Amino acid sequence: MAGSLGELLGRRAAYAVVLLAALSVAGFAILVLLPGDVAEVILTAEMDGERPSAEAVATFRATHGFDDPLPIQYVRWLGGVLTGDLGTSFATGDPVSVELALRLSATFTLVGTAFVMMLLIALPLGVAAAVWRGTLVDRILMGVSVVGMSVPNFWQSLLFVLFFSLMLGWLPSSGFGSPAHVVLPALVIATSSAGLVARFVRSSLIVAMGEPHVRTAFAKGLGRREVLLHHVAPGAMAPILTVLGLQAARMFDGAIVVETVFAWPGLGRLLVDAVMGRDYPVLQGALLLIGTATILINLLVDVAISAIDPRIGDAV
Amino acid sequence: MRSDASLRLVRRVRVPVRRPRPSAGLVLLLAMALLVVVAPALAPYDPSATRFLDRLEGPSLAHPLGTDPLGRDTLSRLLTGFGHTPVAAAAVVALSLLIGAAVGLVSGLAGGAVDRVLMRLCEGVLTVPALAVALIVAGVLGVSLTAVVIGLSAVHWAEYARVIRNMTLAERARTHVTAAVALGAHPVRIALRHVAPALFGPVLALAAFSFAWAVLSFAGLSFLGLGSPPGSPEWGAMIAEARTHMRSHPLLVVAPGLAIAGLVLAANLAGDLLSDGLGRAPDHFRMP
Amino acid sequence: MIRSRALAALLLATIAAPLPAKAADDTLVVGTMWESLPLNMGARRSRFFNESEILDTLIKLDYDMNLVPGLATAWERTSPTTWRFTLRDGVTFHDGTPFNAAAAKLSLERVIALLPYAADLLNIETITAEDPETLVIETSEPFAALPNQLTDAITGIYAASSFDADGKFVKPVGTGPFEFTEYAKQQQTVTERFDDYWGEAPALEKVVYRFIPDHNARTIALETGEIDLAINPLPADVKRLEANDDTTVYAEPSAGLYYGSFNVAEDRPTGDVRVRQAINMMIDRGLVVDAALEGVGLPATHFFSPSFGLVPETAPSYDYDPDAAAALLEEAGYAKVDGVWQKDGAPLTLRVLSYPTRTEMPLITDAMTALLAEQGVMSDVGMFTFEGMMEFVKAGDYDIAVVFWTPEMTGHPDLHLKSQFHSAAGLNDTNWASPVFDAAVDKGRTLDPGPERDATYLEALTALHDDAVVIPLVHKVYTAAARSEVKGFRVHPSGFFYDLKSVSKQAD
């Protein structure tokens, strides 16, 4: 057991820093890889779509440092990024950092709610299916979850709006700003993840139930509930946590589409708007933010898993 | 919508409940392939032919699913749609498989530091939101089918790499492979003769799951206007167009959605059936 | 599960905002399709400042698109290049400072300095505040169109406190009936009645502009009473809203035009004028209006709408005539094989671009290409945002760009003819250069209204028609829908002005 938790954490953090550096190069590359002249693209956007003159472009290049060697441009750009300067959105003229901050909290609200809803659906479903495995209950629950995984979420969003907002009038069909607004979009994201997680909870529990110490516990005459809570659940925790970590990415993908349908001002919709509008500074900012979030969530999940099950952390 | 296709493989692997039915899965997959090839030809009308006098009609004998705002036959568009999303999704599966197989085989056969680095990379890639990557790639390269396929595959290959690497490790440990290695056989020969055949089953099951995911992702991108061009008889694009008439003509939204859900459900079931029969699939979520 | 508990706590903290309640009687809630961006004067030509009436322009357009006094009560052209404006007396800005010629000069100079397209629009050489009530503008060339251009939203008059010490824009402080009070990004902008307004005081105390980009959602919000006025409801919803006793639909012909702009470069199929003329004759505009807009629109055969008298009655147009179109294509070397026009074995396929951010565009593009396909002309359609589309247009990688402009925005033919089709114009991406057209348009803007101006613009429009540079499709019918208790609303034909100072809310 050479690697203590602290040492592991250090190693993982160092790895995360390497990834962040790579991410920053990728982010910088967006503007370099752009078809056409970056200076001209930015200037055209500033001029509300009118084509700037060649002189104006040349002046802009010189005054904004576009003629410097790439490494120097990169360092200057990185300095800006680290101090929160991500440029200005072509579409709104606001700083990208302001755009991202608002969108991040909206997406966090949406995906966070969806995550909780997903757990509330998937955990009971998965546990029930595992406990009654092989029975009709199991079959039905797993059948429902495979249907849940197969329904396109943008379509489900529209059907939910038709049904819950228009026919029943229970919930607002789109928008932002009150708890009622978050319910429908979060439910769509939750249901499309819940099926998979339920199935995984079920299989992890079944695997854990087969472990020798679980049989021993039963042999000692412990109750089913007791065994499930104290002997099965801990064994199934690590794989379930891994999957939940992966769900963060899956749910964000879900949010991209769902936010657009429900006019939720989150990162997903910002990203879609930026792609359709060729809003490169926003695109770049979104890439950096999503990448950083992914790296940090990974780090968190890794550390959480090592804390729960030291054998795993030690081996990697 | 990150693919969790490989996760699904794990299900019931150790404690199979149903008897394995890989052949049923194979049949289902072949049926789907047949549908993709044949369905567009079954369209009763030209999917882009407009009849303005018959616009926004309800279901009738002549138009079983009615017509859209331009008077185009919805059923014909739906059937023609089999030639769009499923084909793009298959392209994502093929490209991911190609990259994943190369990385997985190298990782599994080389072992050691190479294996550790490549697998660490895979784990990282798997936690990236694939749809976001597809969007960013489309944003930089310009919106096109190619950009979307590249973007989705750029994340999805790691699913295949992991499964193939784990299967390769398992195969390598088997005696006849160990013997071949001991006899000094070329690694490429080992990969092709001994490892590849064993991979066929699990990879097919994974392909079914990942096809399901790719259909959902691609249709979602088309719905956003970033996959198939608007106006084309692609299911996601059809739903996006029908939104303007959603309240007066819900069938225009419901029908293509059912087509997507049906195809994805079939692919998921095929994957289930195929992996049910794969007793040897390793639980690769237990890290080594 | 610690993570999820923390998440849940954060969630509760972030979503614990109150549910939107129904607005009070003196508050009007407007649902808009674009986000109002009150802290950005450059965005989308400052349209919001005009719509919200935070700012006043020197001259305004009435409901027939005629010039009427704004902050200027009178104007005259004292020499070919000199305009003299008499300014309104006793006007104060929202910050309490007085409006006078010096303030107007400062504002216009800031606008020209901050907005790159302003100089081109206004043609201003010098601005002089002769006395507090007299503003003299010297143009760089004889320029009769100046009063019209001064109705453009971007020329709204800002108080000095709208800008910081460096001259950068901070927030809109104007002289209008409503003053800007609050902005929540992606959600809403609030304006409140300005009690020292120079004109008749508005009935409304407060106007809330809520950003609801989804067209379905905007209509639903109106039906449930969450908002009082919905701008631009879907044509497919108009009938239902008309039938609903709680809502009223307002629809008037507006100055907007949906049209296809051809790329006339030699190497494109649309480089042949006969192909462009044939396409103009192949499309039954009435079908486009019905199929794409549920009848909410006017079939367009001219660049300017007949509703506003800008187009001389004798201006030529192409009528729907498939036989004549076929004859033209045959003349151009095409032959119809299996229902598709071909030349040298290759089908006639057009690269058609448009943008879905304006909901009607894909519908109109779809209808247009479908009608062309019926006649044997194929299309390869690409959809981007407007900016995304313009990248391809500027690169010349297109045959038809389906766009929406407001040709009569300032009530003068100059603005759009000059900026879209003059061979020297930055926005002319058609590759069309006509000396006849250029000369006519250059001359037209120097002429006072009268027969000579009409004849000059007839010459320009005839050149545009003969070379078939555009295919006019639909004159927009601007729609808005309101709760029945909203009284006094009128659709302004420019499409850039709500005139909410005449609006009130009274239950029947």
Side-chain angles (χ1 to χ4, degrees):
Chain A
M1 297 288 274
S4 71
L5 195 60
E7 212 173 295
L8 175 82
L9 191 62
R11 227 178 323 141
R12 282 294 155 88
Y15 177 65
V17 169
V18 172
L19 283 182
L20 285 171
L23 175 69
S24 76
V25 173
F28 178 69
I30 281 194
L31 285 182
V32 178
L33 282 177
L34 268 189
D37 180 356
V38 192
E40 191 176 333
V41 172
I42 294 177
L43 199 57
T44 307
E46 285 187 0
M47 291 179 64
D48 213 31
E50 282 187 49
R51 207 197 308 257
S53 67
E55 295 155 31
V57 174
T59 318
F60 189 82
R61 289 189 69 85
T63 51
H64 289 73
F66 282 109
D67 292 327
D68 295 337
L70 283 181
I72 292 180
Q73 286 193 46
Y74 170 72
V75 171
R76 187 181 324 117
W77 171 83
L78 188 64
V81 168
L82 291 177
T83 52
D85 175 12
L86 291 162
T88 309
S89 160
F90 289 170
T92 62
D94 283 336
V96 174
S97 52
V98 172
E99 293 280 352
L100 290 178
L102 174 83
R103 305 307 189 109
L104 184 64
S105 73
T107 291
F108 195 74
T109 306
L110 177 62
V111 175
T113 312
F115 198 87
V116 175
M117 285 180 176
M118 182 271 284
L119 289 178
L120 291 177
I121 300 169
L123 289 180
L125 237 66
V127 172
V131 170
W132 287 296
R133 69 180 176 280
T135 67
L136 189 64
V137 175
D138 183 21
R139 293 280 173 88
I140 291 174
L141 291 182
M142 289 304 103
V144 167
S145 60
V146 94
V147 171
M149 293 178 344
S150 304
V151 173
N153 53 12
F154 57 93
W155 185 61
Q156 195 189 348
S157 303
L158 295 179
L159 296 188
F160 272 22
V161 168
L162 276 175
F163 191 68
F164 290 108
S165 303
L166 282 172
M167 287 171 63
L168 299 176
W170 286 355
L171 291 161
S173 62
S174 99
F176 177 65
S178 86
H181 283 109
V182 82
V183 177
L184 282 186
L187 197 59
V188 171
I189 300 175
T191 50
S192 57
S193 272
L196 183 81
V197 173
R199 285 164 60 117
F200 197 79
V201 167
R202 175 188 175 281
S203 65
S204 305
L205 284 176
I206 289 175
V207 168
M209 284 172 191
E211 298 277 335
H213 70 272
V214 175
R215 271 179 236 147
T216 318
F218 271 121
K220 278 198 283 185
L222 292 175
R224 204 154 102 146
R225 196 188 156 82
E226 171 84 11
V227 175
L228 211 59
L229 273 177
H230 296 289
H231 297 269
V232 177
M237 256 332 239
I240 292 177
L241 265 188
T242 310
V243 171
L244 290 182
L246 291 174
Q247 287 307 303
R250 183 192 167 85
M251 292 178 116
F252 179 74
D253 273 345
I256 291 178
V257 176
V258 171
E259 283 178 355
T260 306
V261 179
F262 286 96
W264 187 265
L267 266 184
R269 211 179 91 213
L270 182 72
L271 190 57
V272 172
D273 288 349
V275 171
M276 303 279 280
R278 310 233 145 188
D279 196 341
Y280 298 111
V282 170
L283 206 59
Q284 188 185 49
L287 171 70
L288 293 177
L289 186 63
I290 294 167
T292 308
T294 304
I295 292 167
L296 292 183
I297 288 175
N298 264 314
L299 185 66
L300 271 176
V301 172
D302 276 353
V303 172
I305 288 174
S306 330
I308 290 171
D309 192 345
R311 285 171 304 162
I312 293 171
D314 204 36
V316 192
Chain B
M1 237 186 277
R2 203 197 66 75
S3 158
D4 299 85
S6 64
L7 294 187
R8 293 173 208 168
L9 273 183
V10 183
R11 206 178 71 85
R12 272 196 228 113
V13 159
R14 294 200 178 167
V15 192
V17 175
R18 273 182 282 179
R19 252 173 296 127
R21 276 173 297 167
S23 53
L26 211 58
V27 168
L28 192 51
L29 272 190
L30 287 176
M32 284 163 59
L34 193 69
L35 200 57
V36 168
V37 175
V38 173
L42 296 179
Y45 299 89
D46 175 349
S48 46
T50 50
R51 279 163 301 270
F52 288 91
L53 291 177
D54 303 338
R55 60 190 299 270
L56 290 172
E57 273 189 7
S60 65
L61 271 182
H63 302 286
L65 293 176
T67 57
D68 74 0
L70 296 185
R72 297 177 294 202
D73 180 51
T74 306
L75 177 66
S76 300
R77 293 176 71 70
L78 215 58
L79 290 171
T80 312
F82 276 96
H84 287 73
T85 292
V87 172
V92 173
V93 170
L95 187 58
S96 305
L97 173 60
L98 210 65
I99 306 169
V103 173
L105 283 173
V106 166
S107 191
L109 290 175
V114 174
D115 181 38
R116 273 203 302 279
V117 169
L118 286 178
M119 283 306 105
R120 196 79 192 103
L121 178 72
C122 283
E123 276 166 31
V125 167
L126 281 175
T127 58
V128 173
L131 216 55
V133 171
L135 279 177
I136 290 169
V137 171
V140 176
L141 297 183
V143 176
S144 71
L145 223 63
T146 324
V148 169
V149 170
I150 290 176
L152 292 178
S153 308
V155 173
H156 196 54
W157 64 268
E159 297 264 8
Y160 288 89
R162 236 144 89 121
V163 169
I164 289 170
R165 175 263 188 188
N166 287 344
M167 293 297 299
T168 308
L169 277 187
E171 281 308 305
R172 236 175 53 145
R174 289 161 73 92
T175 33
H176 67 282
V177 183
T178 327
V181 174
L183 289 172
H186 193 273
V188 173
R189 190 184 149 82
I190 296 176
L192 290 180
R193 287 253 345 221
H194 300 288
V195 180
L199 288 176
F200 181 73
V203 167
L204 200 62
L206 176 55
F209 287 132
S210 86
F211 177 76
W213 166 81
V215 167
L216 285 180
S217 303
F218 188 80
L221 285 166
S222 293
F223 173 78
L224 296 175
L226 300 167
S228 286
S232 62
E234 192 284 332
W235 301 325
M238 284 167 73
I239 293 176
E241 266 193 1
R243 284 185 76 188
T244 51
H245 291 79
M246 179 171 89
R247 297 178 63 184
S248 42
H249 300 82
L251 186 62
L252 289 174
V253 167
V254 171
L258 283 178
I260 302 172
L263 190 71
V264 171
L265 190 63
N268 275 330
L269 288 178
D272 269 355
L273 290 169
L274 284 165
S275 51
D276 274 347
L278 306 167
R280 284 177 296 113
D283 183 351
H284 51 271
F285 265 90
R286 288 259 165 196
M287 291 165 205
Chain C
M1 298 303 98
I2 295 163
R3 264 179 72 210
S4 57
R5 205 174 302 150
L7 272 177
L10 260 163
L11 264 171
L12 285 176
T14 40
I15 61 176
L19 264 166
K22 257 199 174 169
D25 279 352
D26 51 3
T27 298
L28 188 82
V29 184
V30 183
T32 62
M33 70 184 276
W34 307 109
E35 187 185 8
S36 51
L37 296 167
L39 302 182
N40 184 337
M41 73 183 277
R44 288 186 223 105
R45 316 206 87 175
S46 314
R47 176 192 296 146
F48 176 71
F49 297 138
N50 217 30
E51 289 170 343
S52 60
E53 296 168 273
I54 295 171
L55 306 178
D56 286 313
T57 44
L58 290 178
I59 298 166
K60 300 192 176 209
L61 290 169
D62 69 6
Y63 284 86
D64 298 314
M65 300 292 277
N66 296 317
L67 299 177
V68 289
L71 288 177
T73 51
W75 50 95
E76 60 173 329
R77 199 172 170 194
T78 51
S79 87
T81 58
T82 314
W83 281 94
R84 171 183 292 268
F85 297 85
T86 308
L87 302 186
R88 199 174 284 278
D89 192 18
V91 176
T92 46
F93 285 107
H94 300 155
D95 63 1
T97 55
F99 164 79
N100 52 34
K105 171 181 155 74
L106 178 126
S107 175
L108 288 173
E109 284 173 350
R110 286 303 330 135
V111 165
I112 292 168
L114 291 172
L115 303 178
Y117 35 78
D120 204 38
L121 174 81
L122 296 171
N123 251 321
I124 290 178
E125 186 76 34
T126 59
I127 304 174
T128 321
E130 217 173 68
D131 60 59
E133 276 161 49
T134 311
L135 189 74
V136 177
I137 294 180
E138 197 72 36
T139 53
S140 44
E141 56 178 329
F143 194 39
L146 184 68
N148 287 90
Q149 313 298 63
L150 286 173
T151 64
D152 190 306
I154 69 164
T155 67
I157 301 299
Y158 298 84
S161 64
S162 302
F163 308 94
D164 66 12
D166 301 330
K168 281 212 183 89
F169 178 69
V170 194
K171 62 170 187 160
V173 180
T175 56
F178 296 98
E179 61 181 309
F180 166 70
T181 50
E182 184 198 319
Y183 167 62
K185 195 167 170 55
Q186 285 289 315
Q187 289 189 57
Q188 60 182 33
T189 296
V190 181
T191 64
E192 278 171 34
R193 177 168 62 208
F194 173 51
D195 287 325
D196 292 332
Y197 176 57
W198 53 267
E200 202 178 315
L204 295 168
E205 176 64 35
K206 193 171 170 183
V207 183
V208 179
Y209 297 89
R210 270 191 51 198
F211 173 48
I212 311 181
D214 185 88
H215 304 273
N216 285 311
R218 209 162 49 246
T219 303
I220 294 168
L222 181 75
E223 286 167 297
T224 57
E226 249 183 274
I227 60 174
D228 301 308
L229 178 66
I231 305 302
N232 213 20
L234 283 173
D237 286 335
V238 163
K239 270 198 196 81
R240 196 182 47 254
L241 290 170
E242 275 172 347
N244 185 339
D245 284 343
D246 295 334
T247 53
T248 309
V249 175
Y250 298 87
E252 292 292 336
S254 80
L257 175 72
Y258 302 96
Y259 69 96
S261 179
F262 288 108
N263 179 1
V264 309
E266 292 272 315
D267 58 333
R268 312 295 308 195
T270 46
D272 188 326
V273 65
R274 290 166 298 194
V275 172
R276 302 196 297 269
Q277 288 168 337
I279 289 170
N280 257 291
M281 294 176 186
M282 279 179 172
I283 293 171
D284 182 341
R285 283 18 170 224
L287 287 182
V288 176
V289 173
D290 287 343
L293 301 170
E294 308 291 316
V296 184
L298 300 171
T301 45
H302 291 97
F303 188 67
F304 292 120
S305 163
S307 310
F308 308 108
L310 280 190
V311 46
E313 269 169 29
T314 47
S317 68
Y318 294 103
D319 295 320
Y320 175 62
D321 188 346
D323 295 333
L328 275 169
L329 282 183
E330 272 167 18
E331 203 186 306
Y334 289 88
K336 209 167 185 176
V337 184
D338 296 333
V340 175
W341 288 100
Q342 300 196 337
K343 190 185 209 170
D344 308 326
L348 174 54
T349 305
L350 304 175
R351 174 75 174 151
V352 180
L353 303 179
S354 194
Y355 48 104
T357 29
R358 188 180 269 282
T359 321
E360 315 88 274
M361 302 312 293
L363 302 171
I364 288 174
T365 306
D366 224 12
M368 182 189 87
T369 53
L371 287 167
L372 285 176
E374 266 185 2
Q375 307 276 337
V377 176
M378 300 294 116
S379 313
D380 164 23
V381 179
M383 289 278 165
F384 307 90
T385 58
F386 185 72
E387 293 81 5
M389 176 188 83
M390 288 311 283
E391 273 188 37
F392 291 95
V393 168
K394 284 183 194 303
D397 187 9
Y398 78 108
D399 293 308
I400 304 181
V402 182
V403 294
F404 175 83
W405 285 101
T406 311
E408 300 94 337
M409 192 167 82
T410 61
H412 194 287
D414 176 66
L415 180 67
H416 276 80
L417 290 183
K418 171 112 174 149
S419 68
Q420 298 286 321
F421 304 110
H422 194 284
S423 61
L427 288 175
N428 180 358
D429 297 301
T430 62
N431 295 306
W432 183 60
S434 156
V436 178
F437 178 89
D438 287 359
V441 167
D442 285 340
K443 184 176 165 201
R445 58 177 11 207
T446 68
L447 300 172
D448 288 317
E452 194 191 356
R453 194 186 91 166
D454 289 350
T456 308
Y457 278 112
L458 179 59
E459 210 174 304
L461 288 169
T462 306
L464 193 70
H465 166 269
D466 290 350
D467 280 354
V469 187
V470 296
I471 163 167
L473 292 168
V474 181
H475 295 296
K476 183 177 173 69
V477 165
Y478 191 96
T479 52
R483 299 291 298 176
S484 302
E485 56 267 29
V486 173
K487 309 287 180 210
F489 181 77
R490 270 183 88 181
V491 168
H492 193 274
S494 76
F496 291 99
F497 189 50
Y498 298 155
D499 198 9
L500 296 180
K501 58 183 176 296
S502 323
V503 169
S504 60
K505 273 166 84 177
Q506 301 149 27
D508 290 311

